[in-house]
mmCIF file of all heavy atoms in Angstrom:
data_model
loop_
_atom_site.group_PDB
_atom_site.id
_atom_site.type_symbol
_atom_site.label_atom_id
_atom_site.label_comp_id
_atom_site.label_asym_id
_atom_site.label_seq_id
_atom_site.Cartn_x
_atom_site.Cartn_y
_atom_site.Cartn_z
ATOM 1 N N MET A 1 1.591 25.607 -28.615
ATOM 2 C CA MET A 1 1.316 24.190 -28.658
ATOM 3 C C MET A 1 -0.188 23.959 -28.537
ATOM 4 O O MET A 1 -0.849 24.599 -27.743
ATOM 5 C CB MET A 1 2.042 23.511 -27.485
ATOM 6 C CG MET A 1 2.562 22.149 -27.809
ATOM 7 S SD MET A 1 3.467 21.465 -26.408
ATOM 8 C CE MET A 1 5.036 21.244 -27.179
ATOM 9 N N THR A 2 -0.714 23.048 -29.319
ATOM 10 C CA THR A 2 -2.140 22.756 -29.302
ATOM 11 C C THR A 2 -2.456 21.754 -28.207
ATOM 12 O O THR A 2 -1.742 20.766 -28.031
ATOM 13 C CB THR A 2 -2.576 22.166 -30.655
ATOM 14 O OG1 THR A 2 -2.211 23.069 -31.677
ATOM 15 C CG2 THR A 2 -4.062 21.931 -30.684
ATOM 16 N N THR A 3 -3.527 22.023 -27.492
ATOM 17 C CA THR A 3 -3.960 21.094 -26.450
ATOM 18 C C THR A 3 -4.830 20.026 -27.072
ATOM 19 O O THR A 3 -5.785 20.317 -27.785
ATOM 20 C CB THR A 3 -4.752 21.826 -25.358
ATOM 21 O OG1 THR A 3 -3.900 22.803 -24.776
ATOM 22 C CG2 THR A 3 -5.228 20.877 -24.292
ATOM 23 N N ASN A 4 -4.491 18.786 -26.807
ATOM 24 C CA ASN A 4 -5.304 17.657 -27.235
ATOM 25 C C ASN A 4 -6.140 17.193 -26.056
ATOM 26 O O ASN A 4 -5.617 17.006 -24.961
ATOM 27 C CB ASN A 4 -4.420 16.488 -27.690
ATOM 28 C CG ASN A 4 -3.636 16.799 -28.930
ATOM 29 O OD1 ASN A 4 -4.152 17.404 -29.861
ATOM 30 N ND2 ASN A 4 -2.382 16.399 -28.947
ATOM 31 N N TRP A 5 -7.421 17.023 -26.268
ATOM 32 C CA TRP A 5 -8.293 16.455 -25.236
ATOM 33 C C TRP A 5 -8.429 14.971 -25.524
ATOM 34 O O TRP A 5 -8.905 14.578 -26.585
ATOM 35 C CB TRP A 5 -9.648 17.150 -25.230
ATOM 36 C CG TRP A 5 -9.554 18.535 -24.682
ATOM 37 C CD1 TRP A 5 -9.454 19.692 -25.392
ATOM 38 C CD2 TRP A 5 -9.522 18.923 -23.317
ATOM 39 N NE1 TRP A 5 -9.368 20.772 -24.550
ATOM 40 C CE2 TRP A 5 -9.403 20.322 -23.259
ATOM 41 C CE3 TRP A 5 -9.578 18.218 -22.105
ATOM 42 C CZ2 TRP A 5 -9.350 21.034 -22.065
ATOM 43 C CZ3 TRP A 5 -9.518 18.924 -20.911
ATOM 44 C CH2 TRP A 5 -9.405 20.303 -20.887
ATOM 45 N N ILE A 6 -7.979 14.168 -24.587
ATOM 46 C CA ILE A 6 -7.969 12.718 -24.750
ATOM 47 C C ILE A 6 -9.052 12.114 -23.857
ATOM 48 O O ILE A 6 -9.041 12.307 -22.637
ATOM 49 C CB ILE A 6 -6.590 12.129 -24.359
ATOM 50 C CG1 ILE A 6 -5.465 12.844 -25.104
ATOM 51 C CG2 ILE A 6 -6.562 10.631 -24.573
ATOM 52 C CD1 ILE A 6 -5.495 12.723 -26.598
ATOM 53 N N ALA A 7 -9.984 11.373 -24.462
ATOM 54 C CA ALA A 7 -11.050 10.718 -23.703
ATOM 55 C C ALA A 7 -10.450 9.644 -22.795
ATOM 56 O O ALA A 7 -9.607 8.856 -23.227
ATOM 57 C CB ALA A 7 -12.066 10.101 -24.651
ATOM 58 N N ILE A 8 -10.875 9.648 -21.539
ATOM 59 C CA ILE A 8 -10.344 8.668 -20.582
ATOM 60 C C ILE A 8 -11.431 7.824 -19.933
ATOM 61 O O ILE A 8 -11.133 7.002 -19.073
ATOM 62 C CB ILE A 8 -9.489 9.353 -19.496
ATOM 63 C CG1 ILE A 8 -10.315 10.387 -18.736
ATOM 64 C CG2 ILE A 8 -8.232 9.954 -20.107
ATOM 65 C CD1 ILE A 8 -9.634 10.900 -17.476
ATOM 66 N N GLY A 9 -12.692 8.022 -20.309
ATOM 67 C CA GLY A 9 -13.761 7.207 -19.745
ATOM 68 C C GLY A 9 -14.888 8.053 -19.203
ATOM 69 O O GLY A 9 -14.976 9.256 -19.451
ATOM 70 N N HIS A 10 -15.755 7.404 -18.451
ATOM 71 C CA HIS A 10 -16.942 8.047 -17.890
ATOM 72 C C HIS A 10 -16.725 8.296 -16.403
ATOM 73 O O HIS A 10 -16.020 7.529 -15.733
ATOM 74 C CB HIS A 10 -18.163 7.146 -18.107
ATOM 75 C CG HIS A 10 -19.456 7.856 -17.881
ATOM 76 N ND1 HIS A 10 -20.038 7.961 -16.636
ATOM 77 C CD2 HIS A 10 -20.276 8.510 -18.743
ATOM 78 C CE1 HIS A 10 -21.168 8.642 -16.743
ATOM 79 N NE2 HIS A 10 -21.340 8.990 -18.016
ATOM 80 N N ILE A 11 -17.357 9.331 -15.888
ATOM 81 C CA ILE A 11 -17.210 9.656 -14.470
ATOM 82 C C ILE A 11 -17.614 8.479 -13.579
ATOM 83 O O ILE A 11 -17.034 8.258 -12.521
ATOM 84 C CB ILE A 11 -17.996 10.944 -14.101
ATOM 85 C CG1 ILE A 11 -17.613 11.412 -12.692
ATOM 86 C CG2 ILE A 11 -19.502 10.717 -14.245
ATOM 87 C CD1 ILE A 11 -18.138 12.784 -12.339
ATOM 88 N N ASP A 12 -18.586 7.666 -14.045
ATOM 89 C CA ASP A 12 -19.026 6.516 -13.246
ATOM 90 C C ASP A 12 -17.975 5.412 -13.170
ATOM 91 O O ASP A 12 -18.115 4.484 -12.381
ATOM 92 C CB ASP A 12 -20.341 5.960 -13.796
ATOM 93 C CG ASP A 12 -21.497 6.929 -13.585
ATOM 94 O OD1 ASP A 12 -21.414 7.787 -12.672
ATOM 95 O OD2 ASP A 12 -22.488 6.837 -14.343
ATOM 96 N N ASP A 13 -16.915 5.500 -13.997
ATOM 97 C CA ASP A 13 -15.807 4.543 -13.916
ATOM 98 C C ASP A 13 -14.951 4.784 -12.674
ATOM 99 O O ASP A 13 -14.136 3.934 -12.302
ATOM 100 C CB ASP A 13 -14.901 4.648 -15.151
ATOM 101 C CG ASP A 13 -15.608 4.270 -16.441
ATOM 102 O OD1 ASP A 13 -16.614 3.529 -16.384
ATOM 103 O OD2 ASP A 13 -15.156 4.726 -17.508
ATOM 104 N N ILE A 14 -15.110 5.951 -12.066
ATOM 105 C CA ILE A 14 -14.330 6.318 -10.881
ATOM 106 C C ILE A 14 -15.267 6.330 -9.688
ATOM 107 O O ILE A 14 -16.274 7.041 -9.695
ATOM 108 C CB ILE A 14 -13.684 7.711 -11.048
ATOM 109 C CG1 ILE A 14 -12.875 7.780 -12.345
ATOM 110 C CG2 ILE A 14 -12.810 8.048 -9.835
ATOM 111 C CD1 ILE A 14 -12.404 9.173 -12.694
ATOM 112 N N PRO A 15 -14.977 5.573 -8.640
ATOM 113 C CA PRO A 15 -15.856 5.593 -7.470
ATOM 114 C C PRO A 15 -15.818 6.952 -6.759
ATOM 115 O O PRO A 15 -14.824 7.672 -6.847
ATOM 116 C CB PRO A 15 -15.297 4.493 -6.571
ATOM 117 C CG PRO A 15 -13.897 4.275 -7.038
ATOM 118 C CD PRO A 15 -13.838 4.678 -8.485
ATOM 119 N N LEU A 16 -16.911 7.291 -6.086
ATOM 120 C CA LEU A 16 -16.907 8.507 -5.265
ATOM 121 C C LEU A 16 -15.754 8.431 -4.284
ATOM 122 O O LEU A 16 -15.498 7.378 -3.686
ATOM 123 C CB LEU A 16 -18.224 8.645 -4.499
ATOM 124 C CG LEU A 16 -19.433 9.118 -5.301
ATOM 125 C CD1 LEU A 16 -20.681 9.079 -4.431
ATOM 126 C CD2 LEU A 16 -19.215 10.524 -5.834
ATOM 127 N N ARG A 17 -15.038 9.553 -4.108
ATOM 128 C CA ARG A 17 -13.868 9.626 -3.228
ATOM 129 C C ARG A 17 -12.805 8.589 -3.616
ATOM 130 O O ARG A 17 -12.120 8.042 -2.765
ATOM 131 C CB ARG A 17 -14.267 9.491 -1.760
ATOM 132 C CG ARG A 17 -15.144 10.632 -1.283
ATOM 133 C CD ARG A 17 -15.480 10.559 0.192
ATOM 134 N NE ARG A 17 -15.931 9.261 0.643
ATOM 135 C CZ ARG A 17 -17.194 8.808 0.591
ATOM 136 N NH1 ARG A 17 -18.128 9.562 0.098
ATOM 137 N NH2 ARG A 17 -17.493 7.618 1.030
ATOM 138 N N GLY A 18 -12.696 8.344 -4.929
ATOM 139 C CA GLY A 18 -11.719 7.368 -5.420
ATOM 140 C C GLY A 18 -10.953 7.915 -6.603
ATOM 141 O O GLY A 18 -11.055 9.092 -6.948
ATOM 142 N N ALA A 19 -10.170 7.031 -7.239
ATOM 143 C CA ALA A 19 -9.325 7.435 -8.358
ATOM 144 C C ALA A 19 -9.144 6.284 -9.330
ATOM 145 O O ALA A 19 -9.382 5.123 -8.985
ATOM 146 C CB ALA A 19 -7.961 7.891 -7.854
ATOM 147 N N ARG A 20 -8.713 6.632 -10.527
ATOM 148 C CA ARG A 20 -8.219 5.651 -11.486
ATOM 149 C C ARG A 20 -6.987 6.264 -12.129
ATOM 150 O O ARG A 20 -6.784 7.475 -12.071
ATOM 151 C CB ARG A 20 -9.273 5.248 -12.509
ATOM 152 C CG ARG A 20 -9.597 6.288 -13.531
ATOM 153 C CD ARG A 20 -10.673 5.830 -14.501
ATOM 154 N NE ARG A 20 -10.165 4.877 -15.459
ATOM 155 C CZ ARG A 20 -10.035 5.112 -16.755
ATOM 156 N NH1 ARG A 20 -10.377 6.273 -17.250
ATOM 157 N NH2 ARG A 20 -9.566 4.192 -17.559
ATOM 158 N N CYS A 21 -6.180 5.428 -12.768
ATOM 159 C CA CYS A 21 -4.940 5.911 -13.372
ATOM 160 C C CYS A 21 -5.005 5.845 -14.880
ATOM 161 O O CYS A 21 -5.657 4.976 -15.450
ATOM 162 C CB CYS A 21 -3.755 5.079 -12.897
ATOM 163 S SG CYS A 21 -3.294 5.407 -11.209
ATOM 164 N N VAL A 22 -4.295 6.772 -15.498
ATOM 165 C CA VAL A 22 -4.122 6.809 -16.943
ATOM 166 C C VAL A 22 -2.617 6.837 -17.191
ATOM 167 O O VAL A 22 -1.903 7.655 -16.614
ATOM 168 C CB VAL A 22 -4.787 8.063 -17.551
ATOM 169 C CG1 VAL A 22 -4.515 8.143 -19.041
ATOM 170 C CG2 VAL A 22 -6.277 8.071 -17.269
ATOM 171 N N LYS A 23 -2.136 5.928 -18.036
ATOM 172 C CA LYS A 23 -0.717 5.916 -18.392
ATOM 173 C C LYS A 23 -0.475 6.923 -19.502
ATOM 174 O O LYS A 23 -1.238 6.999 -20.454
ATOM 175 C CB LYS A 23 -0.296 4.532 -18.872
ATOM 176 C CG LYS A 23 -0.203 3.497 -17.795
ATOM 177 C CD LYS A 23 0.286 2.185 -18.377
ATOM 178 C CE LYS A 23 0.269 1.090 -17.344
ATOM 179 N NZ LYS A 23 0.658 -0.211 -17.921
ATOM 180 N N THR A 24 0.588 7.687 -19.364
ATOM 181 C CA THR A 24 0.987 8.634 -20.395
ATOM 182 C C THR A 24 2.478 8.438 -20.666
ATOM 183 O O THR A 24 3.171 7.800 -19.869
ATOM 184 C CB THR A 24 0.749 10.098 -19.954
ATOM 185 O OG1 THR A 24 1.765 10.468 -19.027
ATOM 186 C CG2 THR A 24 -0.624 10.291 -19.343
ATOM 187 N N PRO A 25 2.996 8.991 -21.736
ATOM 188 C CA PRO A 25 4.436 8.896 -21.988
ATOM 189 C C PRO A 25 5.267 9.533 -20.871
ATOM 190 O O PRO A 25 6.426 9.201 -20.689
ATOM 191 C CB PRO A 25 4.614 9.652 -23.308
ATOM 192 C CG PRO A 25 3.284 9.568 -23.973
ATOM 193 C CD PRO A 25 2.284 9.607 -22.861
ATOM 194 N N ASP A 26 4.661 10.451 -20.104
ATOM 195 C CA ASP A 26 5.377 11.120 -19.015
ATOM 196 C C ASP A 26 5.136 10.482 -17.656
ATOM 197 O O ASP A 26 5.562 11.026 -16.642
ATOM 198 C CB ASP A 26 4.959 12.591 -18.946
ATOM 199 C CG ASP A 26 5.425 13.364 -20.172
ATOM 200 O OD1 ASP A 26 6.430 12.952 -20.789
ATOM 201 O OD2 ASP A 26 4.783 14.366 -20.515
#
Side-chain angles (χ1 to χ4, degrees):
M1 215 177 240
T2 304
T3 299
N4 294 318
W5 288 98
I6 307 298
I8 59 168
H10 194 273
I11 191 170
D12 292 337
D13 296 337
I14 307 170
L16 284 175
R17 296 184 312 274
R20 72 181 285 248
C21 287
V22 176
K23 288 183 185 176
T24 76
D26 293 334

